C-alpha cells in the first residue's frame, strides 16, 4: 500500500480493566486539534472483565472509520501491543496507555515536527505527572530537562539524551516490521518499553530523535497506587528478569550490532540502574523489595556484569543531573574488585557553639589507614562512625564520618597519602550542559541558589495573619525577655505523660534557673490535668500565637517525638528560621532499624537507654548517621518516674494483665497534616490485626486465669489505635484503657504481666521487672519492613524479655504460664533484663540535662569518645 493511502498515525492502546479511566483517554483523543482523518485507533481489549469492552464498542460505533477494537484473551500488555503492530496500517505508530491522557494539540505538534524533519527516526513527547488523588498536573518528571527548546538530536553526538517510554513515543512502523520487532512480554514488571525503544534505536547507526516539549503526555499516578509503575518495587521480576532480559540483553545486542555499547545506551542504562541504588535497604524497607536470598544474589551478579561491560566513568558524565552524587558513586565503585576511597574529605557541617566540624568521605573495602592532624600534630577524632550503605542485603559502600576541632588547621592522610579537603562535595563532571542544568547551577533565582542562603539570613515573608503578627511581636523587648533562652518541652501534640512531661517536671523542681515551658494542644483531658496540677503558667497551646513567639526564641526543643509537627512546624518556619537545638528524648527503646525515619532529622541529643541500643545507632557498620556527639546513654527521662511509681506497687498490688499492641503502618491512614492524629474508620475492625487481638483478649482460658489470680485484663492499644476503642465490642472482663488523661506509667506498674507484639513497651515492663509475653502473628510482615523500619539488632527469640508466640493459643498458654509462675520473670528472661538495664538509679533526667548543656559550649577540647561496640548480652554470651 502506498504512503498516500496510509494513515499518518496508528494509535495502539492495550486495554485491560481500565473502565474508570477510559472516558478521560477517549475524550483527550476526541479533543485533538489535528483532524483524525489520517489517524487510525486500535484498541486491543486484552480480556477485560469490567465495563471496558462496552465503552470501547460505543466509541468504535461512534467512529467506525477511525476506531477499531481487537479482542483477545488476556495475554499481557506486550502481547496486546504486538497484536496492534500486526494490524496497524499507519506510517507512524504510538502506544499510549488507556489510563493516561494527552494534551489537545498532541498529534498536531507531532505531525508538524515530522513534516519539518522527514529524516527523523523517533519522536519523543514530554511526560507530565498527573496526580489523580489531588487532580494536579505537574512538570516534575526527572527527565523533563530533555525537552527544553524542542531539541532535534543525533544520539550518537548527543549521548546525554535517551527516551524509553513507548506510550510517549512515535516510531516508524515500517522499520519495526523490517526488524520483526516485538514487545518482550517476559520483561515484567517494567522496562518492557525501554527494551523495545532501545532495540529500535540500536538499528540506526546515528539515531535521530525529536524531543517535543509542546506534545504533552499526562502520566496518571493513580490514587489507589495500583498502576504497574507504582507497584513495581515489590515485584520479584524487577530484580532478576528486568536486569537480565532487559538491561543485559541490550548490552549484548549492542555489542553484536556495533562492537560496543553506544554512549547514549550506556547513559540510559545507568539512569535505569540508578533507581535501584537511590535508597539503601534501611530507607526502602517498607517498599517490599528483597533484602537477601537467591533473587538478590542474581541481581548483584547481573548488575556487576552490566557495569563491567560499559564505561561507567565516562557514561556518568552524560547521565541527567537528577541522579544523586551518592548513587553515582555506587554505580562507579560499588561493584569494583579493587578498594576505592574518595580523593578528598568533605567538611560538611560546622557547629559554631561547639567549635567542631563534621568531616566525611566514602570508601569501599577496608577502612583506609587514617592520620588526622590538627596544627600538624596527629589527633584522634572526637567522635567517629562508619555507616554501611547496604543494598539488597549487600554492603556496597561505606561512609566514614568524624567530628574534629574546628579551631585548628586540619589535615588528613589516607593510606599514607595526603588528600584534599573540600567544603562542598564536588558534583559529578559533565560533558554536556543542558539548559535545565545551567539554570539550576547558574541562576541566582534557582531553588538551589536560594537553598544555599544560610537560614538565619533568609528573608521570611509569612502569609498567615498569625505569622505576620508573630514576626512583628517577636522583636519586642517584652517578648524577648519572657522567652529568652527558653527550653521548650513536649510529648505528642495532643497528649503528654511521656519523657517530655517528666523532664519538664524535673526542671521545674530542680532547675528554676532554666526558662522551661511545656507545649500541648489546648482542650482535652491532658490540658486540664496540667492546669489542675499547677503548671498553667508554663503551659502553652500548640498552634497559638504564644507558641509561635516561644519557639521563635527557643534555645532548646526537647520532645519524646520527632514528627514534623514537633520538629519542623510550618507555622514557625514561615516567619522565622529554626534557631533551637533539638533533643530527641524518645518514647521507647529502639530495637528495630528506623534509620530511614530518623536519619534526615537534625538532632543535637539522641537519648538511648541500653548499651546495645547505643551501639546499634552510634556504632560502626550501622545504617544510622549519628555519632557519639549526638547519642547519649542517659536513659529515658520517663524511666525515673517509672521507677518511682513501680516502687508503689509491690506484688500484692499488681492487679492487671496489661495487653498493649502497637500499631501497623499499612493499616492506618496518613497523619493529618500539621498534627499527629489519624482518622480511623470502622473498616479496620475487620482486619486480621484486630481480629487476632480480639481472639486473644476474648479467650475463655485467659479470662479464667485472670479471675483465678484476681486480675483485670486491661486493653491499652497504641495511641494511634485509641480511636478504635469505642468501636470495639469488648467482653465484660476486658477493661478498655487510654493514654490520654490517664497515667500510663501507673498502668505498667500495676501490671502483673505485660503482653505486646513489637512494642518498645516491653522495655518498660522489663525495667520494672514484670513478665513479658510477645504475641507476633505477623512477624514476617512487620520485621520484613511492613511497618516502620525493619528488623534491627534486637532478635526477639534471642534478646526478648519473654516467650515469643505466633498463634493465639500458644500466646494464651505462655501468658497463663507467666501468671502461674509468679510476679517475677522466669530466670532466663531476668538475666536478659539485668544485662540490658545495668543502672536503675533515678538519674536519667539529670544526665539528659547535663548533655543538653554540653551542646551549648565548646566541645573541641574534650577527650575523644570511643565508638561503641555491641556488648555481649546474657543470651549472646
Amino acid at each position: 500500500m502506498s504512503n498516500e493511502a496510509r494513515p499518518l498515525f496508528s494509535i495502539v492502546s492495550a486495554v485491560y480493566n481500565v473502565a474508570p479511566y477510559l472516558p478521560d483517554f477517549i475524550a483527550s483523543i476526541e479533543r485533538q486539534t489535528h483532524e483524525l482523518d489520517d489517524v487510525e485507533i486500535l484498541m486491543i481489549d486484552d480480556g477485560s472483565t469490567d465495563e471496558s469492552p462496552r465503552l470501547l464498542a460505543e466509541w468504535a460505533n461512534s467512529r467506525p472509520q477511525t476506531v477499531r477494537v481487537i479482542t483477545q484473551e488476556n495475554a499481557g500488555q506486550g502481547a496486546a501491543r504486538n497484536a496492534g503492530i500486526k494490524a496497524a496500517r499507519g506510517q507512524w505508530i504510538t502506544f499510549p496507555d488507556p489510563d493516561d491522557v494527552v494534551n489537545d494539540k498532541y498529534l498536531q505538534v507531532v505531525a508538524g515536527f515530522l513534516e519539518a524533519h522527514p529524516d527523523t527516526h523517533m519522536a519523543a513527547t514530554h511526560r507530565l505527572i498527573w496526580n489523580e488523588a489531588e487532580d494536579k498536573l505537574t512538570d516534575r518528571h526527572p527527565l523533563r530537562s530533555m525537552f527544553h527548546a524542542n531539541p532535534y538530536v543525533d544520539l550518537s553526538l548527543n549521548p546525554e539524551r535517551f527516551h524509553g517510554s513507548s506510550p510517549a513515543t512515535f516510531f516508524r512502523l515500517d522499520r519495526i516490521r523490517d526488524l520483526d520487532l516485538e514487545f518482550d512480554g517476559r520483561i515484567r514488571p517494567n522496562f518492557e518499553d525501554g527494551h523495545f525503544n532501545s532495540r529500535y534505536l540500536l538499528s540506526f547507526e546515528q539515531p535521530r530523535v525529536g524531543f517535543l516539549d509542546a506534545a504533552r503526555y499526562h502520566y496518571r499516578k493513580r490514587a489507589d497506587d495500583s498502576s504497574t509503575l507504582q507497584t513495581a518495587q515489590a515485584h520479584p521480576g524487577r530484580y532478576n528478569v528486568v536486569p537480565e532480559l532487559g538491561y543485559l540483553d541490550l548490552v549484548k545486542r549492542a555489542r553484536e550490532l556495533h562492537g560496543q555499547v553506544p554512549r547514549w545506551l550506556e547513559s540510559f542504562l545507568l539512569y535505569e540502574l540508578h533507581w535501584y541504588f537511590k535508597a539503601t535497604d534501611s530507607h526502602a524497607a517498607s517498599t517490599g523489595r528483597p533484602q537477601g536470598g537467591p533473587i538478590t544474589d542474581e541481581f548483584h551478579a547481573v548488575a556487576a556484569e552490566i557495569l563491567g561491560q560499559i564505561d561507567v566513568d565516562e557514561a556518568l558524565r552524560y547521565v541527567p543531573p537528577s541522579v544523586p552524587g551518592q548513587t553515582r558513586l555506587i554505580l562507579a565503585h560499588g561493584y569494583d574488585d579493587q578498594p576505592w576511597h574518595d580523593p578528598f574529605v568533605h567538611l560538611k557541617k560546622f557547629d559554631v557553639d561547639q567549635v567542631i566540624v563534621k568531616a566525611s568521605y566514602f570508601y569501599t573495602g577496608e577502612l583506609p589507614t587514617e592520620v588526622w592532624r590538627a596544627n600538624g600534630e596527629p589527633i584522634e577524632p572526637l567522635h567517629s562512625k562508619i555507616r554501611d550503605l547496604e543494598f539488597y542485603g549487600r554492603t556496597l559502600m561505606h561512609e566514614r564520618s568524624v567530628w574534629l576541632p574546628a579551631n585548628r588547621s586540619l589535615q588528613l592522610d589516607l593510606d599514607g597519602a595526603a588528600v584534599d579537603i573540600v567544603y562542598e562535595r564536588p558534583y559529578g563532571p559533565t560533558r554536556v550542559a543542558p539548559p535545565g542544568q545551567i539554570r539550576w547551577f547558574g541562576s541566582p533565582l534557582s531553588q538551589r541558589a536560594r537553598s544555599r542562603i544560610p537560614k538565619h539570613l533568609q528573608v521570611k515573608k509569612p502569609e498567615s495573619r498569625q505569622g505576620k503578627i508573630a514576626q512583628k511581636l517577636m522583636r519586642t523587648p517584652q517578648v524577648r525577655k519572657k522567652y529568652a533562652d527558653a527550653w521548650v518541652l513536649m510529648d505528642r501534640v495532643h497528649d503528654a505523660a511521656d519523657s517530655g512531661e517528666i523532664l519538664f517536671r524535673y526542671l521545674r523542681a530542680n532547675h528554676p534557673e532554666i526558662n522551661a515551658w511545656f507545649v500541648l494542644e489546648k482542650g482535652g483531658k491532658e490540658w486540664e490535668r496540667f492546669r489542675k496540677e499547677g503548671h498553667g503558667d508554663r503551659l502553652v497551646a500548640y498552634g497559638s500565637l504564644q507558641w509561635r513567639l516561644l519557639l521563635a526564641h527557643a534555645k532548646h526543643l526537647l520532645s519524646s517525638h520527632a514528627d514534623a509537627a514537633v520538629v519542623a512546624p510550618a507555622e514557625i518556619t514561615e516567619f522565622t528560621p529554626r534557631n533551637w537545638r533539638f533533643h530527641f528524648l524518645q518514647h521507647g527503646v529502639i530495637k528495630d532499624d528506623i534509620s530511614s525515619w530518623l536519619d534526615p532529622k537534625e538532632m543535637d541529643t539522641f537519648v538511648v537507654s541500653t548499651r546495645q541500643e547505643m551501639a546499634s545507632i552510634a556504632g560502626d557498620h550501622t545504617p544510622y548517621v549519628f555519632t557519639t556527639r549526638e547519642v547519649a546513654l542517659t536513659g529515658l527521662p520517663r524511666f525515673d518516674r517509672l521507677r518511682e511509681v513501680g516502687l508503689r506497687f509491690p506484688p500484692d498490688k499488681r492487679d492487671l494483665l496489661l495487653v498493649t499492641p502497637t500499631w501497623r503502618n499499612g493499616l492506618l491512614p496518613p497523619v493529618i497534616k500539621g498534627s499527629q492524629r489519624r482518622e480511623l474508620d470502622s473498616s479496620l475492625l475487620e482486619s486480621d490485626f484486630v481480629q487476632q487481638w480480639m481472639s486473644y483478649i476474648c479467650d475463655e482460658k485467659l479470662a479464667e486465669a485472670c479471675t483465678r489470680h484476681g486480675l483485670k485484663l486491661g486493653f491499652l492499644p497504641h495511641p494511634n489505635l485509641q480511636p478504635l476503642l469505642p468501636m470495639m465490642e469488648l467482653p465484660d472482663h476486658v477493661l478498655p484503657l487510654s493514654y490520654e488523661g490517664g497515667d500510663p506509667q501507673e498502668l505498667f506498674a500495676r501490671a502483673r504481666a505485660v503482653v505486646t507484639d513489637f512494642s518498645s513497651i516491653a522495655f518498660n515492663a522489663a525495667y520494672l521487672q514484670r513478665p513479658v509475653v510477645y504475641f507476633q502473628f505477623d512477624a514476617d510482615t512487620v520485621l520484613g519492613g511492613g511497618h516502620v523500619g525493619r528488623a534491627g539488632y534486637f532478635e526477639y527469640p534471642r534478646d526478648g524479655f519473654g516467650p515469643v508466640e505466633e498463634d493465639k493459643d500458644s500466646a494464651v498458654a505462655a501468658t497463663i504460664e507467666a501468671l502461674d509462675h509468679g510476679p517475677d520473670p522466669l530466670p532466663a528472661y531476668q538475666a536478659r533484663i539485668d544485662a540490658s538495664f545495668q543502672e536503675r538509679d533515678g538519674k536519667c533526667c539529670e544526665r539528659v540535662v547535663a548533655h543538653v548543656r554540653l551542646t551549648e559550649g565548646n566541645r573541641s577540647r574534650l577527650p575523644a569518645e570511643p565508638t561503641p561496640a555491641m556488648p555481649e548480652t546474657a543470651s549472646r554470651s
Side-chain angles (χ1 to χ4, degrees):
M1 184 179 293
S2 67
N3 281 348
E4 288 74 20
R6 298 171 63 181
L8 176 62
F9 296 123
S10 291
I11 297 177
V12 173
S13 188
V15 177
Y16 179 71
N17 288 352
V18 289
Y21 312 112
L22 266 176
D24 289 334
F25 173 81
I26 293 171
S28 76
I29 300 299
E30 291 290 345
R31 287 195 302 266
Q32 291 300 300
T33 56
H34 179 86
E35 293 293 335
L36 299 184
D37 296 345
D38 62 349
V39 178
E40 69 167 354
I41 302 170
L42 304 176
M43 305 300 290
I44 316 301
D45 177 20
D46 190 36
S48 296
T49 58
D50 65 353
E51 288 294 297
S52 296
R54 179 183 63 79
L55 295 173
L56 294 178
E58 290 175 357
W59 192 22
N61 289 334
S62 70
R63 278 193 177 273
Q65 302 303 314
T66 304
V67 180
R68 280 190 288 160
V69 179
I70 298 175
T71 302
Q72 65 180 33
E73 293 185 3
N74 182 252
Q77 183 184 66
R81 288 174 173 176
N82 292 336
I85 292 172
K86 292 177 182 178
R89 301 182 302 112
Q91 300 171 49
W92 292 85
I93 189 169
T94 187
F95 305 93
D97 290 331
D99 53 349
D100 298 333
V101 300
V102 295
N103 67 336
D104 294 356
K105 57 181 182 178
Y106 190 75
L107 296 178
Q108 178 185 334
V109 170
V110 176
F113 170 80
L114 295 177
E115 183 178 0
H117 302 279
D119 59 343
T120 192
H121 300 136
M122 174 186 286
T125 62
H126 190 162
R127 283 164 289 173
L128 305 184
I129 306 298
W130 177 16
N131 189 320
E132 184 183 38
E134 301 177 7
D135 193 23
K136 186 177 181 181
L137 188 67
T138 57
D139 187 8
R140 301 299 299 168
H141 194 281
L143 297 179
R144 62 189 179 278
S145 63
M146 293 193 177
F147 293 86
H148 290 154
N150 293 296
Y152 175 50
V153 300
D154 177 344
L155 295 186
S156 66
L157 302 176
N158 295 88
E160 79 282 2
R161 296 186 185 273
F162 49 79
H163 188 72
S165 171
S166 298
T169 302
F170 287 76
F171 308 84
R172 290 184 179 272
L173 179 58
D174 290 345
R175 186 69 167 200
I176 289 176
R177 286 181 171 155
D178 289 345
L179 297 169
D180 198 20
L181 184 60
E182 290 188 331
F183 287 91
D184 189 339
R186 299 173 300 168
I187 303 175
R188 306 286 290 274
N190 66 313
F191 201 66
E192 188 178 37
D193 291 355
H195 187 257
F196 183 89
N197 282 34
S198 297
R199 288 175 60 196
Y200 174 84
L201 290 172
L202 280 172
S203 70
F204 302 98
E205 286 288 340
Q206 296 177 298
R208 294 183 291 273
V209 181
F211 292 83
L212 312 184
D213 179 43
R216 302 294 180 91
Y217 184 96
H218 301 175
Y219 167 76
R220 184 194 300 259
K221 183 180 179 183
R222 295 186 188 179
D224 61 1
D225 292 337
S226 63
S227 68
T228 300
L229 186 60
Q230 289 169 266
T231 58
Q233 284 286 329
H235 196 295
R238 176 163 170 75
Y239 307 100
N240 52 16
V241 174
V242 170
E244 183 170 1
L245 299 185
Y247 310 146
L248 184 58
D249 178 74
L250 289 176
V251 170
K252 294 176 178 178
R253 288 176 184 270
R255 288 187 172 277
E256 290 175 3
L257 285 170
H258 304 290
Q260 61 182 3
V261 182
R263 190 74 74 211
W264 65 263
L265 181 56
E266 289 184 327
S267 179
F268 182 30
L269 291 176
L270 288 183
Y271 177 78
E272 285 294 316
L273 283 171
H274 103 271
W275 294 107
Y276 291 86
F277 302 107
K278 283 196 74 172
T280 63
D281 286 351
S282 298
H283 288 217
S286 62
T287 63
R289 80 183 196 186
Q291 299 190 7
I295 287 179
T296 62
D297 291 342
E298 188 175 348
F299 168 76
H300 287 299
V302 175
E305 185 174 357
I306 295 168
L307 294 171
Q309 293 196 46
I310 63 179
D311 189 340
V312 177
D313 289 336
E314 187 64 24
L316 280 173
R317 300 177 187 273
Y318 297 96
V319 299
S322 60
V323 178
Q326 178 178 294
T327 307
R328 293 168 182 256
L329 294 180
I330 296 294
L331 293 170
H333 307 290
Y335 290 95
D336 277 356
D337 294 331
Q338 297 300 315
W340 165 91
H341 63 73
D342 267 328
F344 55 81
V345 61
H346 176 202
L347 300 189
K348 60 191 301 185
K349 185 177 182 181
F350 172 49
D351 192 305
V352 178
D353 297 324
Q354 297 176 20
V355 200
I356 55 178
V357 63
K358 187 176 186 179
S360 71
Y361 63 88
F362 292 97
Y363 72 94
T364 62
E366 297 297 320
L367 178 69
T369 302
E370 292 181 347
V371 178
W372 293 95
R373 291 186 176 87
N375 288 347
E377 296 295 326
I379 61 167
E380 290 296 322
L382 301 173
H383 313 275
S384 61
K385 160 97 186 196
I386 297 170
R387 180 170 72 99
D388 287 353
L389 305 181
E390 190 176 77
F391 300 88
Y392 313 100
R394 183 179 299 182
T395 298
L396 297 182
M397 190 163 288
H398 311 277
E399 182 183 25
R400 173 68 165 170
S401 296
V402 303
W403 285 90
L404 303 160
N407 52 5
R408 283 168 273 176
S409 297
L410 300 176
Q411 295 171 277
L412 170 63
D413 292 350
L414 290 181
D415 288 336
V419 297
D420 292 333
I421 293 175
V422 300
Y423 296 93
E424 180 179 27
R425 188 166 185 88
Y427 198 82
T430 183
R431 288 285 167 81
V432 179
Q437 187 173 343
I438 293 171
R439 285 197 294 271
W440 173 254
F441 284 95
S443 171
L445 300 178
S446 71
Q447 182 180 346
R448 174 180 182 269
R450 292 194 299 270
S451 69
R452 291 164 64 85
I453 300 174
K455 291 182 179 179
H456 66 282
L457 295 179
Q458 292 178 12
V459 177
K460 296 286 186 177
K461 295 182 179 180
E463 296 183 1
S464 71
R465 180 173 177 272
Q466 288 281 74
K468 293 175 182 178
I469 295 173
Q471 190 178 65
K472 183 177 181 179
L473 292 179
M474 66 180 279
R475 300 184 179 93
T476 62
Q478 300 93 324
V479 171
R480 292 164 65 95
K481 181 179 179 180
K482 183 175 182 178
Y483 301 123
D485 296 331
W487 289 36
V488 180
L489 295 103
M490 62 186 300
D491 288 314
R492 289 175 181 268
V493 168
H494 55 274
D495 63 28
D498 209 327
S499 285
E501 178 182 342
I502 303 304
L503 186 58
F504 171 73
R505 291 175 178 274
Y506 171 83
L507 292 176
R508 292 274 276 169
N510 298 279
H511 290 280
E513 78 282 3
I514 291 177
N515 190 12
W517 300 80
F518 195 84
V519 170
L520 183 64
E521 191 175 76
K522 191 172 183 178
K525 299 176 182 178
E526 297 288 83
W527 180 270
E528 292 305 316
R529 176 174 64 82
F530 259 78
R531 291 180 61 85
K532 289 178 181 178
E533 293 175 357
H535 298 294
D537 63 324
R538 289 279 160 164
L539 186 60
V540 176
Y542 183 91
S544 66
L545 177 60
Q546 184 187 11
W547 168 69
R548 287 172 167 83
L549 296 174
L550 171 64
L551 275 245
H553 294 282
K555 188 173 187 178
H556 300 288
L557 174 63
L558 307 95
S559 177
S560 57
H561 287 72
D563 299 301
V566 174
V567 300
E571 298 93 334
I572 306 299
T573 56
E574 74 158 337
F575 75 91
T576 185
R578 166 188 156 172
N579 294 311
W580 60 79
R581 291 183 181 272
F582 175 62
H583 309 275
F584 186 37
L585 304 178
Q586 286 225 60
H587 52 284
V589 177
I590 292 178
K591 57 195 169 18
D592 303 320
D593 174 8
I594 55 174
S595 57
S596 61
W597 181 60
L598 292 176
D599 276 354
K601 304 183 187 296
E602 293 185 22
M603 297 185 191
D604 290 275
T605 301
F606 189 141
V607 166
V608 295
S609 301
T610 73
R611 290 185 300 152
Q612 295 94 325
E613 183 187 17
M614 176 87 176
S616 76
I617 297 167
D620 283 336
H621 303 295
T622 77
Y624 291 89
V625 299
F626 306 102
T627 69
T628 51
R629 170 188 176 266
E630 302 86 16
V631 185
L633 181 53
T634 62
L636 300 178
R638 76 177 184 199
F639 281 164
D640 287 350
R641 185 172 183 274
L642 188 63
R643 174 179 176 271
E644 174 190 330
V645 175
L647 294 174
R648 302 204 308 261
F649 288 88
D652 61 324
K653 291 187 177 181
R654 300 173 193 170
D655 61 350
L656 281 179
L657 171 61
L658 188 62
V659 179
T660 174
T662 191
W663 60 300
R664 297 294 187 275
N665 193 38
L667 288 178
L668 304 187
V671 172
I672 300 170
K673 190 174 183 179
S675 76
Q676 288 181 282
R677 284 194 169 93
R678 302 168 190 262
E679 289 185 357
L680 309 187
D681 60 60
S682 58
S683 64
L684 188 57
L685 298 175
E686 304 302 318
S687 67
D688 181 64
F689 170 78
V690 172
Q691 292 297 310
Q692 288 276 7
W693 280 107
M694 285 292 291
S695 175
Y696 174 84
I697 62 178
C698 294
D699 186 87
E700 293 182 0
K701 293 180 181 178
L702 191 61
E704 187 276 329
C706 288
T707 301
R708 177 158 44 86
H709 288 283
L711 304 175
K712 298 174 183 176
L713 196 159
F715 185 52
L716 180 68
H718 187 277
N720 286 345
L721 299 171
Q722 291 280 313
L724 279 181
L725 274 177
M727 308 179 200
M728 303 178 73
E729 297 181 3
L730 301 175
D732 293 338
H733 71 280
V734 175
L735 179 66
L737 299 172
S738 175
Y739 286 87
E740 190 171 351
D743 187 349
Q745 292 189 317
E746 185 171 297
L747 297 177
F748 302 142
R750 287 172 52 191
R752 174 72 176 272
V754 173
V755 181
T756 187
D757 43 14
F758 306 94
S759 174
S760 62
I761 277 175
F763 284 87
N764 290 352
Y767 194 86
L768 291 170
Q769 303 188 79
R770 305 294 195 263
V772 173
V773 174
Y774 298 95
F775 179 25
Q776 299 181 347
F777 52 85
D778 55 352
D780 290 344
T781 299
V782 173
L783 299 180
H787 185 44
V788 176
R790 59 174 185 159
Y793 72 95
F794 193 90
E795 297 181 12
Y796 289 89
R798 183 192 67 190
D799 303 317
F801 306 120
V804 181
E805 307 297 345
E806 295 184 357
D807 64 87
K808 186 264 294 186
D809 291 339
S810 298
V812 167
T815 306
I816 294 173
E817 181 184 3
L819 295 177
D820 290 344
H821 176 263
D824 299 320
L826 290 165
Y829 301 121
Q830 183 64 56
R832 297 181 186 180
I833 293 171
D834 293 339
S836 295
F837 298 103
Q838 298 180 343
E839 288 185 346
R840 295 185 183 86
D841 57 4
K843 295 183 178 181
C844 297
C845 287
E846 180 181 325
R847 287 187 286 268
V848 170
V849 172
H851 194 274
V852 171
R853 283 183 157 160
L854 184 67
T855 67
E856 298 177 343
N858 189 332
R859 300 175 71 175
S860 66
R861 298 293 180 181
L862 295 178
E865 293 190 36
T867 303
M870 187 64 68
E872 291 289 342
T873 65
S875 54
R876 288 189 177 98
S877 57

